[in-house]
Coordinates of all heavy atoms in Angstrom, one line a residue:
M24 N 177.1 80.4 -29.7 CA 177.8 80.4 -28.4 C 178.7 79.2 -28.3 O 179.7 79.3 -27.7 CB 176.8 80.5 -27.3 CG 176.1 81.8 -27.3 SD 175.2 82.4 -25.9 CE 175.2 81.3 -24.6
A25 N 178.3 78.1 -29.0 CA 179.1 76.9 -28.9 C 180.4 77.1 -29.5 O 181.4 76.5 -29.1 CB 178.3 75.8 -29.6
S26 N 180.5 78.0 -30.5 CA 181.8 78.3 -31.2 C 182.8 78.9 -30.3 O 184.0 78.9 -30.6 CB 181.6 79.1 -32.4 OG 181.1 80.4 -32.1
L27 N 182.4 79.4 -29.1 CA 183.3 80.0 -28.2 C 184.1 78.9 -27.4 O 185.2 79.1 -27.0 CB 182.6 80.9 -27.2 CG 181.9 82.1 -27.7 CD1 181.1 82.8 -26.6 CD2 182.9 83.1 -28.3
K28 N 183.5 77.8 -27.3 CA 184.1 76.7 -26.5 C 184.6 75.5 -27.4 O 185.5 74.9 -27.1 CB 183.1 76.1 -25.5 CG 183.7 75.1 -24.6 CD 182.7 74.9 -23.4 CE 183.4 73.9 -22.5 NZ 182.8 73.8 -21.2
F29 N 183.9 75.3 -28.6 CA 184.2 74.1 -29.4 C 184.8 74.6 -30.7 O 184.5 75.7 -31.2 CB 183.0 73.3 -29.6 CG 182.4 72.7 -28.3 CD1 181.3 73.3 -27.8 CD2 183.0 71.7 -27.6 CE1 180.7 72.8 -26.6 CE2 182.5 71.2 -26.4 CZ 181.4 71.8 -25.9
D30 N 185.5 73.7 -31.4 CA 186.0 73.9 -32.7 C 184.9 74.0 -33.7 O 183.9 73.2 -33.6 CB 186.9 72.7 -33.1 CG 187.5 72.9 -34.5 OD1 188.1 73.9 -34.8 OD2 187.2 71.9 -35.3
K31 N 184.9 75.0 -34.6 CA 183.9 75.2 -35.6 C 183.6 74.0 -36.4 O 182.5 73.7 -36.8 CB 184.2 76.4 -36.5 CG 184.1 77.7 -35.8 CD 184.3 78.9 -36.7 CE 184.3 80.2 -35.9 NZ 184.5 81.3 -36.8
Q32 N 184.6 73.2 -36.8 CA 184.4 72.0 -37.6 C 183.6 71.0 -36.9 O 182.7 70.3 -37.4 CB 185.8 71.4 -38.1 CG 185.7 70.3 -39.0 CD 185.0 70.8 -40.4 OE1 185.1 72.0 -40.7 NE2 184.3 69.9 -41.0
L33 N 183.9 70.8 -35.6 CA 183.1 69.9 -34.8 C 181.6 70.3 -34.7 O 180.7 69.5 -34.8 CB 183.7 69.8 -33.4 CG 183.0 68.9 -32.4 CD1 183.1 67.4 -32.8 CD2 183.6 69.1 -31.0
I34 N 181.4 71.6 -34.6 CA 180.0 72.1 -34.5 C 179.3 71.8 -35.8 O 178.2 71.4 -35.9 CB 180.0 73.6 -34.2 CG1 180.6 73.8 -32.8 CG2 178.6 74.2 -34.3 CD1 180.9 75.3 -32.4
R35 N 180.0 72.1 -36.9 CA 179.4 71.8 -38.3 C 179.1 70.4 -38.4 O 178.1 70.0 -39.1 CB 180.3 72.3 -39.3 CG 180.4 73.8 -39.5 CD 181.2 74.2 -40.8 NE 181.3 75.6 -40.9 CZ 182.3 76.4 -40.6 NH1 183.5 75.8 -40.4 NH2 182.3 77.7 -40.7
Q36 N 179.9 69.5 -37.9 CA 179.7 68.1 -38.0 C 178.4 67.7 -37.3 O 177.6 66.9 -37.9 CB 180.8 67.3 -37.4 CG 180.7 65.8 -37.5 CD 181.9 65.1 -36.8 OE1 182.9 65.8 -36.5 NE2 181.8 63.8 -36.6
Y37 N 178.1 68.2 -36.2 CA 176.9 67.9 -35.4 C 175.7 68.7 -35.8 O 174.6 68.2 -35.7 CB 177.1 68.0 -33.9 CG 178.0 67.0 -33.3 CD1 179.3 67.2 -33.0 CD2 177.5 65.7 -33.2 CE1 180.1 66.2 -32.5 CE2 178.3 64.7 -32.6 CZ 179.6 64.9 -32.3 OH 180.4 63.9 -31.8
L38 N 175.9 69.9 -36.3 CA 174.8 70.7 -36.7 C 174.7 70.9 -38.2 O 174.6 72.0 -38.7 CB 174.9 72.1 -36.0 CG 174.9 72.0 -34.5 CD1 175.1 73.4 -33.9 CD2 173.7 71.4 -33.9
R39 N 174.7 69.8 -38.9 CA 174.6 69.9 -40.4 C 173.4 70.5 -40.8 O 172.3 70.4 -40.2 CB 174.7 68.4 -41.0 CG 176.0 67.8 -40.8 CD 176.1 66.4 -41.5 NE 174.8 65.8 -41.8 CZ 174.4 64.7 -41.2 NH1 175.1 64.1 -40.2 NH2 173.2 64.2 -41.5
E40 N 173.4 71.3 -41.9 CA 172.3 72.0 -42.4 C 171.1 71.1 -42.7 O 169.9 71.5 -42.4 CB 172.7 72.8 -43.6 CG 171.6 73.8 -44.1 CD 172.0 74.7 -45.2 OE1 173.2 74.8 -45.5 OE2 171.1 75.3 -45.7
D41 N 171.3 69.9 -43.2 CA 170.1 69.1 -43.5 C 169.4 68.6 -42.3 O 168.2 68.5 -42.3 CB 170.6 67.9 -44.4 CG 171.6 67.0 -43.6 OD1 172.5 67.6 -42.9 OD2 171.6 65.8 -43.8
I42 N 170.1 68.5 -41.2 CA 169.5 68.2 -39.9 C 168.8 69.4 -39.3 O 167.7 69.3 -38.8 CB 170.5 67.6 -38.9 CG1 171.0 66.2 -39.4 CG2 170.0 67.5 -37.5 CD1 172.2 65.7 -38.6
M43 N 169.5 70.5 -39.3 CA 169.0 71.7 -38.7 C 167.8 72.2 -39.4 O 166.9 72.8 -38.8 CB 170.1 72.8 -38.7 CG 171.2 72.6 -37.8 SD 170.7 72.4 -36.1 CE 170.1 74.0 -35.8
Q44 N 167.6 72.0 -40.7 CA 166.5 72.6 -41.4 C 165.2 72.0 -40.9 O 164.1 72.6 -41.1 CB 166.6 72.3 -42.9 CG 167.6 73.1 -43.6 CD 167.8 72.8 -45.1 OE1 167.3 71.8 -45.6 NE2 168.5 73.7 -45.8
E45 N 165.2 70.8 -40.3 CA 164.0 70.2 -39.8 C 163.7 70.7 -38.4 O 162.6 70.5 -37.9 CB 164.2 68.7 -39.7 CG 164.4 68.1 -41.1 CD 164.7 66.6 -41.1 OE1 164.3 66.0 -40.1 OE2 165.2 66.1 -42.1
A46 N 164.6 71.4 -37.7 CA 164.4 71.9 -36.3 C 163.4 73.1 -36.3 O 163.6 74.0 -37.1 CB 165.7 72.2 -35.7
P47 N 162.4 73.1 -35.5 CA 161.5 74.2 -35.4 C 162.2 75.5 -35.1 O 161.8 76.6 -35.6 CB 160.5 73.8 -34.3 CG 160.6 72.3 -34.2 CD 162.0 72.0 -34.6
L48 N 163.2 75.5 -34.2 CA 163.8 76.7 -33.8 C 164.6 77.3 -35.0 O 164.6 78.5 -35.3 CB 164.8 76.5 -32.7 CG 165.6 77.7 -32.2 CD1 164.6 78.9 -31.8 CD2 166.5 77.4 -31.1
Y49 N 165.2 76.5 -35.8 CA 165.9 76.9 -37.0 C 164.9 77.5 -38.0 O 165.2 78.6 -38.5 CB 166.6 75.6 -37.7 CG 167.3 75.9 -39.0 CD1 168.6 76.4 -39.0 CD2 166.7 75.8 -40.2 CE1 169.3 76.6 -40.1 CE2 167.4 76.0 -41.4 CZ 168.7 76.5 -41.4 OH 169.3 76.7 -42.5
Q50 N 163.8 76.9 -38.2 CA 162.8 77.4 -39.1 C 162.3 78.8 -38.6 O 162.1 79.7 -39.4 CB 161.6 76.5 -39.2 CG 161.9 75.2 -40.0 CD 162.3 75.5 -41.4 OE1 161.8 76.3 -42.1 NE2 163.4 74.8 -41.8
E51 N 162.1 78.9 -37.3 CA 161.7 80.2 -36.7 C 162.7 81.3 -37.0 O 162.3 82.4 -37.3 CB 161.4 80.0 -35.2 CG 160.8 81.2 -34.5 CD 160.6 80.9 -33.1 OE1 160.1 79.8 -32.7 OE2 160.8 81.8 -32.3
I52 N 164.0 81.0 -36.8 CA 165.0 82.0 -37.0 C 165.1 82.4 -38.5 O 165.2 83.6 -38.8 CB 166.4 81.4 -36.5 CG1 166.4 81.2 -35.0 CG2 167.5 82.3 -37.0 CD1 167.6 80.4 -34.5
I53 N 165.0 81.4 -39.4 CA 165.0 81.7 -40.8 C 163.8 82.6 -41.2 O 164.0 83.6 -41.9 CB 164.9 80.4 -41.6 CG1 166.2 79.6 -41.4 CG2 164.8 80.7 -43.1 CD1 167.5 80.3 -41.8
Q54 N 162.6 82.3 -40.7 CA 161.4 83.1 -41.0 C 161.5 84.5 -40.5 O 161.2 85.5 -41.1 CB 160.2 82.4 -40.4 CG 159.8 81.1 -41.0 CD 159.3 81.4 -42.5 OE1 158.6 82.3 -42.8 NE2 159.8 80.5 -43.4
E55 N 162.1 84.6 -39.2 CA 162.3 86.0 -38.7 C 163.3 86.8 -39.5 O 163.0 88.0 -39.8 CB 162.8 85.9 -37.2 CG 162.9 87.2 -36.5 CD 161.7 88.0 -36.4 OE1 160.6 87.4 -36.3 OE2 161.8 89.3 -36.4
G56 N 164.3 86.2 -40.0 CA 165.3 86.8 -40.8 C 164.7 87.3 -42.1 O 164.9 88.4 -42.6
M57 N 163.9 86.4 -42.7 CA 163.2 86.7 -43.9 C 162.2 87.9 -43.8 O 162.2 88.8 -44.6 CB 162.4 85.5 -44.5 CG 163.3 84.4 -45.0 SD 162.5 82.9 -45.5 CE 161.4 83.6 -46.8
K58 N 161.5 87.9 -42.6 CA 160.6 89.0 -42.4 C 161.3 90.3 -42.2 O 160.9 91.3 -42.8 CB 159.7 88.7 -41.2 CG 158.7 89.8 -40.9 CD 157.7 89.4 -39.8 CE 156.7 90.6 -39.7 NZ 155.7 90.4 -38.7
R59 N 162.4 90.3 -41.5 CA 163.2 91.5 -41.3 C 163.7 92.1 -42.6 O 163.6 93.3 -42.8 CB 164.3 91.3 -40.3 CG 163.9 91.2 -38.9 CD 165.1 91.0 -38.0 NE 164.7 90.7 -36.6 CZ 165.6 90.6 -35.6 NH1 166.9 90.7 -35.9 NH2 165.1 90.4 -34.4
G60 N 164.2 91.2 -43.4 CA 164.7 91.6 -44.7 C 163.6 92.2 -45.6 O 163.8 93.3 -46.2
K61 N 162.5 91.6 -45.6 CA 161.4 92.1 -46.4 C 160.9 93.4 -45.9 O 160.5 94.3 -46.6 CB 160.2 91.1 -46.5 CG 160.6 89.9 -47.4 CD 159.6 88.8 -47.3 CE 160.1 87.6 -48.1 NZ 159.1 86.9 -48.9
L62 N 160.8 93.5 -44.6 CA 160.3 94.7 -43.9 C 161.2 95.9 -44.2 O 160.8 97.0 -44.6 CB 160.3 94.5 -42.4 CG 159.9 95.7 -41.5 CD1 158.4 96.2 -41.9 CD2 160.0 95.4 -40.1
E63 N 162.5 95.7 -44.1 CA 163.5 96.7 -44.4 C 163.4 97.2 -45.9 O 163.4 98.4 -46.2 CB 164.9 96.3 -44.1 CG 165.2 96.2 -42.7 CD 166.6 95.7 -42.4 OE1 167.5 95.6 -43.3 OE2 166.8 95.2 -41.2
L64 N 163.2 96.2 -46.8 CA 163.1 96.6 -48.2 C 161.8 97.4 -48.5 O 161.8 98.4 -49.2 CB 163.1 95.3 -49.1 CG 162.9 95.5 -50.6 CD1 164.0 96.4 -51.1 CD2 162.8 94.2 -51.3
V65 N 160.7 96.9 -47.9 CA 159.4 97.6 -48.1 C 159.5 99.0 -47.6 O 159.0 100.0 -48.2 CB 158.2 96.8 -47.4 CG1 157.0 97.7 -47.3 CG2 157.9 95.6 -48.2
L66 N 160.1 99.2 -46.4 CA 160.2 100.5 -45.8 C 161.1 101.5 -46.7 O 160.7 102.6 -46.9 CB 160.7 100.5 -44.4 CG 159.8 99.9 -43.4 CD1 160.5 99.7 -42.0 CD2 158.5 100.7 -43.2
R67 N 162.1 100.9 -47.2 CA 163.0 101.7 -48.1 C 162.3 102.1 -49.4 O 162.3 103.2 -49.9 CB 164.3 101.0 -48.4 CG 165.3 101.0 -47.3 CD 166.7 100.6 -47.7 NE 166.8 99.6 -48.8 CZ 167.0 98.3 -48.7 NH1 167.1 97.8 -47.5 NH2 167.1 97.6 -49.8
L68 N 161.6 101.1 -50.0 CA 160.8 101.4 -51.2 C 159.7 102.4 -51.0 O 159.5 103.3 -51.8 CB 160.3 100.1 -51.8 CG 161.3 99.1 -52.3 CD1 160.6 97.8 -52.7 CD2 162.0 99.7 -53.5
L69 N 159.0 102.3 -49.9 CA 157.9 103.3 -49.6 C 158.5 104.7 -49.4 O 158.0 105.6 -49.9 CB 157.2 102.8 -48.3 CG 156.1 101.8 -48.5 CD1 155.6 101.3 -47.1 CD2 154.9 102.3 -49.3
N70 N 159.6 104.7 -48.6 CA 160.3 106.0 -48.4 C 160.7 106.6 -49.7 O 160.5 107.9 -49.9 CB 161.5 105.8 -47.5 CG 162.1 107.1 -47.1 OD1 161.4 108.0 -46.6 ND2 163.4 107.2 -47.3
R71 N 161.2 105.9 -50.6 CA 161.6 106.4 -51.9 C 160.5 106.8 -52.8 O 160.5 107.8 -53.5 CB 162.5 105.4 -52.6 CG 163.1 105.9 -53.9 CD 164.1 105.1 -54.4 NE 164.6 105.7 -55.7 CZ 165.7 105.3 -56.3 NH1 166.5 104.4 -55.7 NH2 166.0 105.9 -57.4
Q72 N 159.4 106.0 -52.7 CA 158.3 106.2 -53.7 C 157.3 107.3 -53.2 O 156.9 108.1 -54.0 CB 157.6 104.9 -54.0 CG 156.5 105.1 -55.1 CD 156.2 103.8 -55.7 OE1 156.5 102.7 -55.2 NE2 155.4 103.8 -56.8
I73 N 157.0 107.3 -51.9 CA 155.9 108.3 -51.5 C 156.4 109.2 -50.3 O 155.6 109.9 -49.8 CB 154.6 107.5 -51.1 CG1 154.9 106.5 -50.0 CG2 154.0 106.8 -52.3 CD1 153.7 105.9 -49.4
G74 N 157.6 109.1 -50.0 CA 158.1 110.0 -48.9 C 158.4 109.3 -47.6 O 158.2 108.1 -47.4
A75 N 158.7 110.2 -46.6 CA 159.1 109.7 -45.3 C 158.0 108.8 -44.7 O 156.8 109.1 -44.8 CB 159.4 110.8 -44.4
V76 N 158.4 107.7 -44.0 CA 157.5 106.8 -43.4 C 157.5 107.1 -41.9 O 158.5 107.1 -41.2 CB 158.0 105.3 -43.6 CG1 157.1 104.4 -42.9 CG2 158.0 105.0 -45.1
S77 N 156.3 107.5 -41.4 CA 156.2 107.9 -39.9 C 156.4 106.6 -39.1 O 156.3 105.5 -39.5 CB 154.8 108.5 -39.7 OG 153.8 107.5 -39.8
A78 N 156.6 106.9 -37.8 CA 156.8 105.8 -36.8 C 155.5 105.0 -36.7 O 155.6 103.8 -36.5 CB 157.2 106.4 -35.5
A79 N 154.4 105.7 -36.7 CA 153.1 105.0 -36.7 C 152.9 104.0 -37.8 O 152.5 102.9 -37.7 CB 152.0 106.0 -36.6
L80 N 153.3 104.5 -39.0 CA 153.2 103.7 -40.2 C 154.2 102.5 -40.1 O 153.8 101.4 -40.5 CB 153.4 104.5 -41.5 CG 153.5 103.8 -42.8 CD1 152.1 103.0 -43.0 CD2 153.8 104.7 -43.9
Q81 N 155.4 102.8 -39.7 CA 156.4 101.7 -39.5 C 155.8 100.6 -38.6 O 155.9 99.4 -38.9 CB 157.7 102.2 -38.9 CG 158.6 102.9 -39.9 CD 159.9 103.3 -39.3 OE1 160.2 103.1 -38.2 NE2 160.8 103.8 -40.2
S82 N 155.2 101.0 -37.5 CA 154.6 100.1 -36.6 C 153.5 99.2 -37.2 O 153.5 98.0 -37.0 CB 154.1 100.8 -35.3 OG 153.5 100.0 -34.5
Q83 N 152.7 99.9 -38.0 CA 151.6 99.2 -38.7 C 152.2 98.2 -39.7 O 151.7 97.1 -39.8 CB 150.7 100.2 -39.4 CG 149.4 99.7 -39.9 CD 148.6 100.8 -40.5 OE1 149.0 101.9 -40.7 NE2 147.3 100.4 -40.8
I84 N 153.2 98.6 -40.4 CA 153.8 97.7 -41.4 C 154.5 96.5 -40.7 O 154.5 95.4 -41.2 CB 154.7 98.5 -42.3 CG1 153.9 99.5 -43.2 CG2 155.6 97.6 -43.2 CD1 154.7 100.4 -44.0
Q85 N 155.2 96.8 -39.6 CA 155.9 95.7 -38.9 C 154.9 94.6 -38.4 O 155.3 93.5 -38.2 CB 156.6 96.3 -37.6 CG 157.8 97.1 -38.0 CD 158.5 97.8 -36.8 OE1 157.9 98.0 -35.8 NE2 159.7 98.1 -37.0
S86 N 153.7 95.0 -38.2 CA 152.7 94.0 -37.7 C 152.2 93.1 -38.9 O 151.5 92.1 -38.6 CB 151.5 94.7 -37.1 OG 150.7 95.4 -38.0
L87 N 152.6 93.4 -40.1 CA 152.1 92.6 -41.2 C 152.8 91.2 -41.3 O 154.0 91.1 -40.8 CB 152.4 93.3 -42.6 CG 151.6 94.6 -42.8 CD1 152.1 95.3 -44.1 CD2 150.1 94.4 -42.8
S88 N 152.2 90.2 -41.8 CA 152.8 88.9 -42.0 C 153.8 88.9 -43.2 O 153.8 89.9 -43.9 CB 151.7 87.9 -42.2 OG 151.2 88.1 -43.5
I89 N 154.6 87.9 -43.3 CA 155.5 87.8 -44.5 C 154.7 87.8 -45.8 O 155.1 88.5 -46.7 CB 156.4 86.5 -44.4 CG1 157.4 86.7 -43.2 CG2 157.1 86.3 -45.7 CD1 158.2 85.4 -43.0
T90 N 153.6 87.2 -45.8 CA 152.8 87.1 -47.0 C 152.2 88.5 -47.3 O 152.2 89.0 -48.5 CB 151.6 86.2 -46.8 OG1 152.1 84.9 -46.5 CG2 150.8 86.0 -48.1
Q91 N 151.8 89.2 -46.3 CA 151.3 90.6 -46.5 C 152.4 91.6 -47.0 O 152.2 92.4 -47.8 CB 150.6 91.1 -45.3 CG 149.3 90.5 -45.0 CD 148.8 90.9 -43.6 OE1 149.5 90.8 -42.6 NE2 147.5 91.2 -43.6
L92 N 153.6 91.4 -46.4 CA 154.8 92.2 -46.8 C 155.1 91.9 -48.3 O 155.4 92.9 -49.0 CB 156.0 91.9 -45.9 CG 156.0 92.5 -44.5 CD1 157.2 91.9 -43.7 CD2 156.0 94.0 -44.6
D93 N 155.0 90.7 -48.7 CA 155.2 90.4 -50.1 C 154.2 91.1 -51.0 O 154.5 91.7 -52.0 CB 155.1 88.9 -50.4 CG 156.4 88.1 -50.0 OD1 157.4 88.7 -49.9 OD2 156.3 86.9 -49.8
A94 N 152.9 91.0 -50.6 CA 151.9 91.7 -51.3 C 152.0 93.2 -51.4 O 151.9 93.8 -52.4 CB 150.5 91.3 -50.7
L95 N 152.4 93.8 -50.2 CA 152.7 95.2 -50.2 C 153.8 95.6 -51.1 O 153.8 96.6 -51.8 CB 153.0 95.7 -48.8 CG 153.3 97.1 -48.5 CD1 152.2 98.0 -49.1 CD2 153.5 97.4 -47.1
S96 N 154.9 94.8 -51.1 CA 156.0 95.1 -52.0 C 155.7 95.1 -53.4 O 156.2 96.0 -54.2 CB 157.2 94.1 -51.7 OG 156.9 92.9 -52.2
E97 N 154.7 94.3 -53.8 CA 154.2 94.4 -55.2 C 153.3 95.5 -55.4 O 153.3 96.2 -56.4 CB 153.6 93.1 -55.6 CG 154.6 91.9 -55.8 CD 153.9 90.6 -56.2 OE1 152.9 90.7 -56.9 OE2 154.4 89.6 -55.8
A98 N 152.4 95.7 -54.5 CA 151.3 96.8 -54.6 C 151.9 98.1 -54.6 O 151.5 99.0 -55.4 CB 150.3 96.7 -53.5
L99 N 153.0 98.4 -53.9 CA 153.6 99.7 -53.8 C 154.2 100.2 -55.1 O 154.4 101.4 -55.3 CB 154.6 99.9 -52.7 CG 155.9 99.2 -52.7 CD1 156.9 99.9 -53.5 CD2 156.4 99.0 -51.3
L100 N 154.4 99.3 -56.0 CA 154.9 99.7 -57.4 C 153.8 100.5 -58.1 O 154.1 101.3 -59.0 CB 155.2 98.4 -58.2 CG 156.4 97.6 -57.7 CD1 156.6 96.3 -58.5 CD2 157.7 98.4 -57.7
D101 N 152.6 100.3 -57.7 CA 151.5 101.1 -58.3 C 151.1 102.3 -57.5 O 150.2 103.1 -57.9 CB 150.2 100.2 -58.5 CG 150.5 99.0 -59.4 OD1 151.3 99.2 -60.4 OD2 150.0 97.9 -59.2
F102 N 151.7 102.5 -56.3 CA 151.3 103.7 -55.5 C 151.9 104.9 -56.1 O 153.0 105.0 -56.6 CB 151.9 103.5 -54.1 CG 151.3 102.4 -53.2 CD1 151.9 102.2 -52.0 CD2 150.3 101.6 -53.7 CE1 151.4 101.1 -51.2 CE2 149.8 100.6 -52.9 CZ 150.3 100.4 -51.7
S103 N 151.0 106.0 -56.1 CA 151.5 107.3 -56.6 C 151.3 108.4 -55.5 O 151.9 109.5 -55.6 CB 150.8 107.7 -57.9 OG 149.4 107.8 -57.7
A104 N 150.6 108.0 -54.4 CA 150.4 109.0 -53.3 C 150.3 108.2 -52.0 O 150.0 107.0 -52.0 CB 149.1 109.7 -53.6
Q105 N 150.4 108.9 -50.9 CA 150.3 108.2 -49.6 C 148.9 107.7 -49.4 O 148.7 106.7 -48.7 CB 150.7 109.2 -48.5 CG 152.2 109.5 -48.5 CD 152.6 110.2 -47.3 OE1 151.9 110.3 -46.3 NE2 153.9 110.7 -47.3
S106 N 147.9 108.2 -50.0 CA 146.5 107.7 -49.9 C 146.4 106.3 -50.5 O 145.6 105.5 -50.0 CB 145.5 108.7 -50.6 OG 145.8 108.8 -52.0
D107 N 147.2 106.0 -51.5 CA 147.2 104.6 -52.0 C 147.7 103.7 -51.0 O 147.1 102.6 -50.8 CB 148.1 104.6 -53.3 CG 147.7 105.4 -54.4 OD1 146.5 105.6 -54.5 OD2 148.5 105.8 -55.2
R108 N 148.8 104.0 -50.3 CA 149.3 103.2 -49.2 C 148.3 103.0 -48.1 O 148.0 101.9 -47.6 CB 150.6 103.8 -48.7 CG 151.3 103.0 -47.6 CD 151.4 103.7 -46.3 NE 151.3 105.1 -46.2 CZ 150.5 105.7 -45.4 NH1 149.6 105.1 -44.6 NH2 150.5 107.1 -45.4
A109 N 147.6 104.1 -47.7 CA 146.6 104.1 -46.6 C 145.5 103.2 -47.0 O 145.0 102.3 -46.2 CB 146.1 105.5 -46.3
T110 N 145.0 103.3 -48.3 CA 143.9 102.4 -48.7 C 144.3 101.0 -48.7 O 143.6 100.1 -48.3 CB 143.5 102.8 -50.2 OG1 143.1 104.2 -50.1 CG2 142.4 102.0 -50.7
W111 N 145.5 100.7 -49.1 CA 146.0 99.3 -49.2 C 146.1 98.7 -47.8 O 145.6 97.6 -47.5 CB 147.4 99.2 -49.8 CG 147.8 97.8 -50.1 CD1 147.6 97.0 -51.2 CD2 148.5 96.9 -49.1 NE1 148.1 95.7 -51.0 CE2 148.6 95.6 -49.7 CE3 149.0 97.1 -47.8 CZ2 149.3 94.6 -49.1 CZ3 149.6 96.0 -47.2 CH2 149.7 94.8 -47.9
L112 N 146.6 99.5 -46.8 CA 146.8 99.0 -45.4 C 145.4 98.8 -44.8 O 145.2 97.8 -44.1 CB 147.6 100.0 -44.6 CG 149.1 99.9 -44.9 CD1 149.8 101.1 -44.2 CD2 149.7 98.6 -44.4
Q113 N 144.4 99.6 -45.1 CA 143.1 99.5 -44.6 C 142.4 98.2 -45.1 O 141.7 97.5 -44.4 CB 142.2 100.7 -44.9 CG 142.5 101.9 -44.1 CD 141.6 103.0 -44.5 OE1 141.1 103.1 -45.6 NE2 141.3 103.9 -43.5
S114 N 142.8 97.8 -46.3 CA 142.2 96.6 -46.9 C 142.8 95.3 -46.3 O 142.2 94.3 -46.4 CB 142.5 96.6 -48.4 OG 143.8 96.3 -48.7
Q115 N 143.9 95.5 -45.5 CA 144.5 94.3 -44.9 C 144.0 94.1 -43.5 O 144.3 93.1 -42.9 CB 146.0 94.5 -44.9 CG 146.7 94.6 -46.2 CD 146.4 93.4 -47.1 OE1 146.7 92.3 -46.7 NE2 145.8 93.7 -48.2
E116 N 143.2 95.0 -43.0 CA 142.8 94.8 -41.6 C 141.6 93.9 -41.5 O 140.9 93.6 -42.4 CB 142.4 96.2 -41.0 CG 143.6 97.1 -40.8 CD 143.3 98.5 -40.3 OE1 142.1 98.8 -40.2 OE2 144.3 99.2 -40.0

């Protein structure tokens, strides 16, 4: 929003990346972006490998942590049926 009122170069001068990386809000935004990206990838891979992903399943997968999404993205390479996915998700509860 600052870019609407101030010159972008001025904003960059005050909000240098090395300074921003230490800010908790910056870290939170980065983590949320990473989680969204991983979530989208996992959902696409599941859809391609074992078929359509229901809304209930999407909700369940959205509740996973980034670490769990990473683990699921690796585990789904071995899935051959929807029961494999269900078993994996139950093991995460």
Side-chain angles (χ1 to χ4, degrees):
M24 294 197 355
S26 64
L27 296 175
K28 186 168 183 164
F29 301 104
D30 179 58
K31 288 182 182 182
Q32 188 61 30
L33 179 64
I34 295 167
R35 285 189 182 109
Q36 180 181 348
Y37 286 104
L38 301 177
R39 293 188 333 254
E40 188 172 348
D41 60 324
I42 293 172
M43 290 301 296
Q44 286 179 347
E45 297 176 21
L48 180 58
Y49 178 87
Q50 291 299 319
E51 186 177 319
I52 291 168
I53 295 298
Q54 290 295 316
E55 182 62 29
M57 289 174 58
K58 182 174 181 178
R59 284 184 187 182
K61 289 176 188 220
L62 176 63
E63 289 176 16
L64 177 61
V65 164
L66 290 173
R67 282 196 330 261
L68 292 172
L69 279 170
N70 187 52
R71 183 168 180 166
Q72 188 159 10
I73 60 173
V76 177
S77 69
L80 176 58
Q81 280 186 357
S82 178
Q83 191 175 10
I84 293 171
Q85 286 174 340
S86 70
L87 297 175
S88 69
I89 290 176
T90 304
Q91 290 172 312
L92 285 171
D93 281 338
L95 177 55
S96 68
E97 289 183 31
L99 68 83
L100 296 173
D101 297 324
F102 293 174
S103 58
Q105 290 193 10
S106 60
D107 296 332
R108 182 244 337 130
T110 301
W111 189 91
L112 285 171
Q113 283 179 334
S114 74
Q115 299 302 303
E116 294 177 352

